[in-house]
Amino acid sequence: KEVSKSGFKTKKEAQIVAQQKELELLNGLEQGEMNAALYFKSWLSNYIKDKLKPNTFKTYRHVIEKHLIPHFGAMELSKIKPMMYQKFIDEKIEGGLSTETARRIHNVAYQACKRAVINGYIMKNPCENLSIKKREVKKLKFMEPQLVSEILKILYKRGQIYGLFFKILFETGMRKGEAAALQWTDIDWKNETITIDNSLNFQPEEDEKILGDTKNFSSIRTIDVRSSVIKELKEHMKYQNQRKLHLGEIYNHELNLVLCRDDGSPLP
């Protein structure tokens, strides 16, 4: 396809522009422009969905739909410039977002534009060399150990399963998704250990499995637990078996969850 342009003051100026256009074609740039919104959605579908963890995909999708597309969506991808992108991130922080959230937005934008360079839609990544402003970090508040028993009393009053769920979290340091995905086969009664190799997807899409991998490979682990916890888990198993007998086929036997609702379905 022939590309033509006029209106140059000198022949030299025209030659410079022509050389630049030839360089773009050699680097694989497609003729015509790529809409930013269309590209971000395409990148999400082709490079993120089913390739990263479901929760990571949802995080990326949220960033694209709530932050990138509303700001850059109507633009051509090649028109996004470093200074413009820097201002975009600065305004996010000035608007009240935390530095960590700004970094999360930046990570998605950077990875998307990095792929755009590889695919030849743009020559340079406009998200490179970003400077993120540091906001004053509020001092974290930690729960004092002596308060754990008081908090557990309140949780057990709300429901035995809630008390046990948080007790497992306090005792083991599991992530909540890991605790919610525990299956009875993960417990070694003799050696008093629990193996963690799954994580629950609390909001699965239609085509997603509810039990997925842990956050990363190193998260797969076997940990020791106190005898008192093992004893309570055995009592909980007796209660759960009673529920299974009472509900019969209505009970969700397939997941075999330790910490679940009375019908065997996952905790919300």
Side-chain angles (χ1 to χ4, degrees):
K1 182 178 177 181
E2 185 177 288
V3 178
S4 62
K5 193 173 182 180
S6 59
F8 301 105
K9 294 180 180 178
T10 64
K11 182 178 180 180
K12 184 67 176 176
E13 186 181 341
Q15 288 174 334
I16 292 172
V17 174
Q19 288 171 357
Q20 179 64 29
K21 178 58 67 174
E22 288 176 355
L23 182 62
E24 289 177 359
L25 293 173
L26 286 171
N27 278 281
L29 275 161
E30 296 184 4
Q31 295 187 18
E33 298 292 347
M34 170 61 77
N35 172 264
L38 180 63
Y39 172 72
F40 286 135
K41 289 179 180 179
S42 175
W43 172 77
L44 189 68
S45 176
N46 294 323
Y47 294 99
I48 305 301
K49 190 175 183 181
D50 300 327
K51 294 178 176 63
L52 297 182
K53 296 185 185 303
N55 286 341
T56 303
F57 166 73
K58 289 171 187 174
T59 297
Y60 279 35
R61 183 177 63 188
H62 175 80
V63 168
I64 286 173
E65 292 178 351
K66 301 299 181 182
H67 297 283
L68 298 182
I69 288 180
H71 193 90
F72 298 112
M75 298 176 60
E76 295 169 356
L77 194 62
S78 61
K79 295 294 189 292
I80 302 174
K81 302 301 179 185
M83 189 175 292
M84 183 190 304
Y85 178 73
Q86 177 72 63
K87 185 180 179 183
F88 161 71
I89 294 294
D90 287 345
E91 288 175 349
K92 289 293 177 182
I93 295 175
E94 290 166 3
L97 289 186
S98 67
T99 303
E100 183 60 32
T101 301
R103 289 189 187 280
R104 193 175 298 120
I105 294 170
H106 169 61
N107 177 58
V108 175
Y110 178 85
Q111 295 300 332
C113 289
K114 181 180 179 181
R115 174 56 59 177
V117 173
I118 295 172
N119 289 357
Y121 293 123
I122 52 178
M123 294 290 289
K124 292 183 178 180
N125 189 338
C127 307
E128 287 182 344
N129 303 314
L130 176 77
S131 178
I132 294 184
K133 295 179 180 179
K134 288 186 178 180
R135 293 186 66 194
E136 185 180 347
V137 179
K138 294 181 179 179
K139 188 176 180 180
L140 294 175
K141 295 180 180 179
F142 295 93
M143 183 173 61
E144 298 298 331
Q146 62 268 25
L147 296 177
V148 171
S149 60
E150 295 300 318
I151 291 171
L152 284 175
K153 284 179 184 177
I154 296 169
L155 289 165
Y156 274 108
K157 284 180 180 178
R158 180 169 179 178
Q160 193 270 346
I161 190 61
Y162 293 109
L164 182 57
F165 184 87
F166 278 90
K167 188 171 187 177
I168 293 293
L169 295 183
F170 290 146
E171 290 275 347
T172 66
M174 291 184 202
R175 299 178 178 92
K176 65 180 184 295
E178 294 170 344
L182 278 182
Q183 296 173 300
W184 288 111
T185 51
D186 296 325
I187 301 174
D188 184 333
W189 303 104
K190 182 179 178 181
N191 295 309
E192 298 187 341
T193 63
I194 295 177
T195 298
I196 302 158
D197 57 6
N198 279 318
S199 184
L200 188 84
N201 185 358
F202 286 101
Q203 294 179 314
E205 305 282 346
E206 288 184 7
D207 57 343
E208 291 176 351
K209 294 180 179 179
I210 195 163
L211 291 181
D213 297 331
T214 53
K215 188 173 183 181
N216 47 55
F217 181 75
S218 61
S219 296
I220 299 174
R221 59 207 187 276
T222 298
I223 55 177
D224 296 316
V225 291
R226 295 195 295 172
S227 297
S228 60
V229 177
I230 291 294
K231 183 179 179 181
E232 188 168 351
L233 284 169
K234 286 181 178 179
E235 291 298 318
H236 176 61
M237 176 184 264
K238 291 178 182 178
Y239 169 78
Q240 197 177 95
N241 286 336
Q242 291 174 355
R243 296 298 303 166
K244 289 177 181 178
L245 287 172
H246 179 70
L247 294 176
E249 293 182 1
I250 299 174
Y251 191 90
N252 189 333
H253 294 271
E254 184 180 353
L255 293 175
N256 195 30
L257 296 175
V258 175
L259 303 166
C260 56
R261 292 169 171 171
D262 275 354
D263 63 354
S265 61
L267 290 171

